Amino acid sequence: MAAVRVRPSARARLWTRLWLGALAGAASAAPDLVRIVGLFDPGDERQEITFLHAVDRVNREPGLLPGVHLQGLVERVPLHNSFQATRRVCLALERGVAAVFGPQTASTSWHVQSICDAMEVPHVESRWDFRPRRADFSINIHPHPSTLSNAYVSLIRQWHWHAFTIVYEDAAGLLRLQAMLQAPTPSEFSITIRQLPPQSDDFRPLLKRIKKNAGTKILLDCRLSTVPSLLRQARELGMMNQYFSYLITSLDVHIVDLDEFKYTGANITALRLVNPSDPAADDVIRRFMTPPTAAQTRETEVALIHDAVLVFARALHQFGRSLHTQSLSCGTERGWSQGSSLLNFMKLVRLPGLSGPVQFDGEGFRTEVTLAITELSKDGLTRVGTWSPDQGANYTRNYGDKMQEIEQSLRHKTLVVMTTVNEPYAMLVNESDTTLTGNARFEGFCIDLVNEIARLREFYVQFVEGGSYGGIDPITGEASGMVKELMDQKADMAVTDLTITYEREQVLDFTMPWMNLGIGILYSKPKKEPPQLFSFLAPLSLEVWLYMAATYLGVSVLLFILARFSPYEWDNPHPCREEPDVLENQFSLPNSLWFTIGSLMQQGSDIAPKALSTRMIAGLWWFFTLIMISSYTANLAAFLTVERMVSPIESAEDLAKQTEIKYGALESGSTKNFFRDSKIASYQRMWSFMKSARPSVFIKKASEGVERVRSSQGRYAYLMESPQLEYVVERDCDLVQVGGLLDTKSYGIALPPGSPYTSTISNAILILQENGTLHALKTKWWKEMKGGGACKRNAKKSSAAASELGLDQVGGVFVVLLAGMAAACCIAICEFIWKSRQLNQAAHVSTS
Ligand code: GLU
């Protein structure tokens, strides 16, 4: 031991200081013994033991409450017996206690609270209490239900649970979730509330009802002991697989043995108040909660009782040594004068407890809470993140980890893939071959697509044949076809030409699209035009013919006029006579007409213009005829070599305008729904026509529709989706697509709602798209297999079809001719003036 040598004068001073200190200490000395009382429900001693352990820890651990010895009194209060509760509290108060802890039962606790209020003694609670206000002398270390509700709401928001079912056991459960029901806006979530049957352990009818209504997301609020049996019954009903998610509100689910559900694939999430990675918490839990399966007391209660005692000790420590407990009698109205100060100190306490950081507001509600988010995995309920009021949910794993987990869970699993036999997506390899079984029966684009995805994600596939495409009936709300089968989780995915629609997206999950498409019209190839008597007129449009006729007349008349006008077109009929009486002009009106028609017909005539102006007109007319005749000849050649086709319909509008040709779509597909829901007038008209047509124009299978078009000889058009239309016209040269596409949409792989595999399969589709596999598969099944490319040459031929020449094509020649005619007029005027001047001058010379 280290000895301290002190000089005599210093020693005297030290003694004096110690003595004075002792005196001062005596003046403000805290009582050596401070009593607190814990009230407990009978039956579970763990709460009492925890209480006494906490008291013991406070006494033994140096620095927690120096100079004070805490004595914990324990009283058992019969359940719901307020008389006994009152008696026990009053007895304890007579002994002089500084605080009352518990009990856990609400009705007795409220009585204790009112006595503590009257006697001004702090009442420390550690139980769930839904009341929004606290009594004056009470403080509760249990997180307030609204805080827990906020935690659930924030998790549900983060998981995008738009529709879910709340399953509760008793009124308290509903009260517990009340804040949650009020929190979100009504449009945000669609919540179904169901109560577990009271006094019955058979939850199957209720669970069946939930399953029938496609309830895959369940918020479960029930007693801890009910959880395993409920989950067991859910498993019996096929509600414990990857498509179901359970959020259990109890903070102590981890003490229930959930091992049997570890490999079901169901998502089970719960919140936990006690941080298991805290060594102090671990110690307390090990001491008081083993064996865990036998525990009736919840871990949270144990931790909260422990923390409540620590809060009291800390407050007492901060209060100082001036605390005097006193014997109080319930019969008098005199309370404890120091009670309210001590309570205020308690409200100011901040400490890291077993139940996370502890802090109170002015009313005595616990404000600081950190909850661990735990999920059931193959290692049991493991912590995957935390939730706190300030930061919300904070996951320790990121999106990549989550995806990896899902991919891991998918590996070597066998997924049931539903498909429909429909060329070229899925076809029977050989319908007559009965030896083929299982996946070997099928081939096609979708079969290859699924096999590629399965290869990438390393899972096995079992193909099954599904029914019609299906959807949701707008009137009854009933699901049908493959949509219903997927909703009922009869398969893990549906891969066929299933269109992504809003209505289906509401009840199913869709991956990224693997093909884009639109609605097209399949119709019989146009027939050859019968030979026509006046087909020689076809190379030029009527408009051009009329213009030509007008031009011919115009040019002829102009030639006649200009020839009259121009002096150089007047000839001396008798060249021997120098001064003839009469001059002659060869361009009479008939001659002008003859001249122009002669050149138009490429024959010429025996008259020729002599003046510059008339020659100009003649030149331009020849140019005009050259171009027009060449164009006519070239187009006539095209018309004579190419077969002219005529189709009575060129577009959907043409279909809508007539009633002669019937048209229809697939009975249970999105094409029919497109017309049913369309707001465009012509499509609405088409829908009314299709709906009222007798016999029905709707068909059961796409192949039936194609056959109907083929055999109808132009009296039926089938509205179908473009990829299959392309496939059909590629092989059957008598069928064609008429007009363009009526809309744009995509095919996707559909999965049951809430499927965990949607993202990973979407990613696989993107990979296949980027590395060209999708394109290669399309080429294989559309162009190469099963007689693809048969109609290619014909398609080329028809694309070279000739059409008549319109004014747009030959208008320029008319313009040139007009300009030339205008120029000729000007020249004629100049000639006239020039000649007049010459004659004038000659007359002048002869007279002089
Ligand atoms: N792809 C459509 C669907 O998913 C079926 C074919 C159609 O309606 O034309 O409903």
Side-chain angles (χ1 to χ4, degrees):
M1 190 195 266
V4 181
R5 287 178 60 83
V6 186
R7 278 180 288 136
S9 57
R11 184 178 296 178
R13 272 208 305 278
L14 180 66
W15 273 116
T16 320
R17 222 181 307 145
L18 281 175
W19 186 74
L20 285 175
L23 268 184
S28 63
D32 278 339
L33 186 72
V34 172
R35 288 198 188 95
I36 53 175
V37 63
L39 306 173
F40 299 100
D41 300 332
D44 188 4
E45 283 153 16
R46 284 166 209 259
Q47 293 180 7
E48 298 172 22
I49 300 171
T50 314
F51 176 70
L52 293 175
H53 165 78
V55 170
D56 186 44
R57 188 178 161 199
V58 169
N59 287 332
R60 273 192 300 117
E61 246 176 62
L64 274 182
L65 192 56
V68 177
H69 182 79
L70 205 59
Q71 186 185 15
L73 308 177
V74 169
E75 291 286 351
R76 289 201 192 146
V77 181
L79 288 178
H80 310 294
N81 190 337
S82 44
F83 171 72
Q84 280 296 332
T86 312
R87 218 169 73 85
R88 301 279 157 86
V89 178
C90 289
L91 279 177
L93 290 179
E94 270 171 31
R95 292 181 71 183
V97 291
V100 178
F101 292 74
Q104 293 294 324
T105 314
S107 57
T108 37
S109 181
W110 291 339
H111 269 92
V112 172
Q113 208 171 80
S114 58
I115 296 168
C116 288
D117 243 16
M119 305 316 293
E120 298 182 24
V121 173
H123 177 215
V124 187
E125 286 181 294
S126 55
R127 67 182 186 87
W128 176 83
D129 187 1
F130 67 89
R131 289 175 306 167
R133 272 189 53 80
R134 302 224 59 73
D136 289 347
F137 278 83
S138 152
I139 189 168
N140 194 345
I141 198 160
H142 193 288
H144 193 264
S146 64
T147 313
L148 294 177
S149 276
N150 286 343
Y152 299 132
V153 170
S154 93
L155 286 183
I156 283 169
R157 265 198 196 120
Q158 203 170 36
W159 298 335
H160 306 292
W161 279 17
H162 299 302
F164 60 94
T165 310
I166 292 180
V167 176
Y168 71 98
E169 189 160 22
D170 49 24
L174 208 54
L175 279 174
R176 227 188 321 270
L177 298 171
Q178 194 182 25
M180 172 175 188
L181 293 172
Q182 288 163 354
T185 50
S187 56
E188 190 178 4
F189 303 131
S190 147
I191 307 176
T192 312
I193 303 173
R194 302 213 182 272
Q195 186 177 13
L196 288 175
Q199 289 139 24
S200 168
D201 289 341
D202 186 10
F203 310 122
R204 290 177 194 87
L206 175 97
L207 291 170
K208 270 187 204 158
R209 226 169 333 134
I210 295 174
K211 191 176 179 194
K212 189 163 174 276
N213 295 340
T216 53
K217 298 174 175 80
I218 297 165
L219 181 76
L220 182 59
D221 185 289
C222 64
R223 270 178 292 138
L224 216 44
S225 54
T226 310
V227 173
S229 64
L230 188 135
L231 293 184
R232 230 167 271 140
Q233 292 178 23
R235 189 177 50 192
E236 281 169 27
L237 297 173
M239 292 174 74
M240 285 297 277
N241 54 39
Q242 61 271 34
Y243 304 119
F244 284 86
S245 301
Y246 296 84
L247 173 58
I248 305 176
T249 58
S250 167
L251 297 174
D252 290 298
V253 180
H254 50 277
I255 64 171
V256 178
D257 183 11
L258 296 178
D259 279 1
E260 57 186 302
F261 308 111
K262 278 200 295 201
Y263 299 102
T264 55
N267 305 303
I268 298 179
T269 310
L271 295 178
R272 184 176 179 180
L273 189 60
V274 177
N275 181 3
S277 49
D278 176 355
D282 194 40
D283 175 50
V284 175
I285 291 159
R286 251 188 299 110
R287 247 194 244 203
F288 302 109
M289 299 302 298
T290 42
T293 43
Q296 282 176 13
T297 304
R298 287 110 187 249
E299 179 192 276
T300 308
E301 279 174 12
V302 166
L304 289 175
I305 290 170
H306 182 277
D307 286 352
V309 175
L310 287 195
V311 167
F312 173 79
R314 178 69 64 91
L316 192 57
H317 182 47
Q318 280 163 3
F319 192 90
R321 295 184 161 192
S322 55
L323 185 102
H324 301 281
T325 51
Q326 63 188 73
S327 168
L328 299 168
S329 162
C330 290
T332 64
E333 286 198 352
R334 204 167 52 87
W336 183 32
S337 57
Q338 289 182 315
S340 86
S341 312
L342 181 60
L343 188 83
N344 286 338
F345 271 103
M346 285 168 78
K347 285 178 184 170
L348 293 175
V349 167
R350 281 167 172 236
L351 60 84
L354 301 187
S355 60
V358 178
Q359 194 181 330
F360 299 92
D361 63 8
E363 277 212 69
F365 285 119
R366 182 166 174 178
T367 52
E368 195 65 36
V369 181
T370 302
L371 298 163
I373 305 169
T374 59
E375 271 182 21
L376 188 66
S377 68
K378 59 182 186 320
D379 305 320
L381 265 181
T382 40
R383 184 173 156 202
V384 293
T386 54
W387 180 89
S388 64
D390 302 334
Q391 295 184 347
N394 200 349
Y395 281 90
T396 43
R397 55 159 192 229
N398 57 24
Y399 180 72
D401 299 337
K402 175 103 185 139
M403 286 302 291
Q404 237 174 357
E405 248 174 56
I406 292 172
E407 275 168 27
Q408 195 69 36
S409 70
L410 189 56
R411 207 159 286 161
H412 308 309
K413 217 174 186 161
T414 302
L415 297 192
V416 178
V417 177
M418 196 157 54
T419 188
T420 39
V421 174
N422 187 18
E423 282 184 71
Y425 305 103
M427 298 166 277
L428 291 174
V429 173
N430 190 348
E431 279 180 54
S432 55
D433 190 348
T434 48
T435 56
L436 291 175
T437 52
N439 294 352
R441 285 175 302 152
F442 301 103
E443 63 174 352
F445 178 90
C446 287
I447 307 298
D448 284 358
L449 173 68
V450 173
N451 286 335
E452 287 292 334
I453 296 172
R455 193 178 53 76
L456 278 177
R457 293 291 175 249
E458 297 177 48
F459 62 86
Y460 302 112
V461 178
Q462 185 199 338
F463 287 106
V464 292
E465 246 186 275
S468 59
Y469 299 85
I472 303 291
D473 190 302
I475 299 160
T476 60
E478 291 278 316
S480 60
M482 280 194 282
V483 172
K484 178 166 169 37
E485 290 184 50
L486 276 183
M487 282 169 75
D488 295 344
Q489 289 134 23
K490 298 261 167 65
D492 295 298
M493 57 173 111
V495 190
T496 181
D497 53 332
L498 192 69
T499 312
I500 305 173
T501 62
Y502 172 76
E503 154 201 292
R504 290 174 183 163
E505 179 72 55
Q506 299 307 299
V507 290
L508 299 179
D509 283 357
F510 274 98
T511 60
M512 297 287 294
W514 48 262
M515 193 179 276
N516 297 323
L517 64 128
I519 297 173
I521 305 167
L522 182 77
Y523 191 57
S524 330
K525 200 161 212 162
K527 292 197 201 77
K528 282 181 207 161
E529 197 173 9
Q532 285 176 0
L533 197 56
F534 295 105
S535 58
F536 66 87
L537 292 172
L540 299 180
S541 67
L542 176 67
E543 204 181 13
V544 174
W545 284 121
L546 292 177
Y547 270 91
M548 269 180 69
T551 313
Y552 162 68
L553 287 177
V555 169
S556 305
V557 171
L558 191 73
L559 187 64
F560 165 71
I561 295 169
L562 291 192
R564 303 259 130 187
F565 205 67
S566 172
Y568 299 106
E569 284 294 348
W570 292 98
D571 292 326
N572 182 354
H574 308 288
C576 309
R577 284 173 58 183
E578 280 214 355
E579 297 252 329
D581 300 333
V582 206
L583 289 177
E584 199 181 61
N585 194 324
Q586 56 179 341
F587 282 107
S588 62
L589 194 57
N591 276 358
S592 298
L593 287 167
W594 178 244
F595 173 78
T596 42
I597 195 80
S599 47
L600 183 65
M601 296 300 154
Q602 311 279 286
Q603 300 306 316
S605 64
D606 50 356
I607 40 179
K610 283 180 239 142
L612 187 61
S613 54
T614 46
R615 279 182 178 172
M616 178 120 192
I617 289 197
L620 279 159
W621 176 246
W622 289 337
F623 170 74
F624 173 82
T625 52
L626 175 73
I627 301 292
M628 289 309 295
I629 298 302
S630 318
S631 305
Y632 173 82
T633 316
N635 213 25
L636 182 68
F639 264 78
L640 294 179
T641 48
V642 173
E643 283 171 351
R644 295 281 293 158
M645 301 287 193
V646 273
S647 176
I649 49 162
E650 298 285 352
S651 63
E653 272 68 33
D654 290 350
L655 269 184
K657 274 187 230 148
Q658 54 81 54
T659 52
E660 191 83 354
I661 301 164
K662 301 270 187 293
Y663 45 90
L666 195 71
E667 177 73 63
S668 70
S670 56
T671 303
K672 181 180 165 187
N673 295 351
F674 166 81
F675 287 97
R676 185 194 65 196
D677 303 332
S678 180
K679 300 274 173 289
I680 299 169
S682 57
Y683 298 161
Q684 279 177 346
R685 226 176 16 237
M686 285 172 82
W687 171 242
S688 333
F689 175 79
M690 286 193 262
K691 214 170 39 167
S692 55
R694 294 290 173 273
S696 172
V697 288
F698 296 117
I699 43 97
K700 294 263 174 312
K701 288 188 83 177
S703 52
E704 274 177 35
V706 175
E707 194 45 51
R708 193 157 164 185
V709 176
R710 213 176 268 146
S711 57
S712 70
Q713 296 179 337
R715 287 193 307 278
Y716 182 78
Y718 179 45
L719 296 155
M720 69 189 301
E721 288 170 333
S722 54
Q724 201 173 22
L725 200 156
E726 224 177 273
Y727 178 85
V728 171
V729 300
E730 184 88 28
R731 283 154 185 81
D732 190 333
C733 310
D734 291 335
L735 303 179
V736 281
Q737 176 180 347
V738 169
L741 301 183
L742 312 190
D743 64 349
T744 44
K745 47 199 177 188
S746 313
Y747 292 142
I749 295 180
L751 297 103
S755 172
Y757 308 131
T758 311
S759 317
T760 179
I761 290 176
S762 283
N763 292 350
I765 290 175
L766 282 182
I767 293 173
L768 294 177
Q769 190 180 317
E770 281 168 20
N771 67 17
T773 311
L774 285 187
H775 181 74
L777 286 181
K778 171 120 198 247
T779 313
K780 173 182 165 189
W781 287 105
W782 263 254
K783 310 256 181 244
E784 293 162 7
M785 303 289 284
K786 309 262 173 192
C791 307
K792 234 180 225 157
R793 254 184 307 131
N794 293 13
K796 267 196 195 141
K797 258 196 212 167
S798 64
S799 70
S803 56
E804 61 188 17
L805 294 176
L807 202 60
D808 292 343
Q809 284 91 23
V810 292
V813 198
F814 286 88
V815 174
V816 171
L817 183 63
L818 275 178
M821 283 159 74
C825 290
C826 297
I827 293 170
I829 293 168
C830 294
E831 283 174 336
F832 182 79
I833 296 168
W834 179 250
K835 189 71 184 177
S836 312
R837 269 193 66 201
Q838 267 187 343
L839 288 176
N840 231 355
Q841 274 173 2
H844 199 69
V845 169
S846 64
T847 50
S848 65

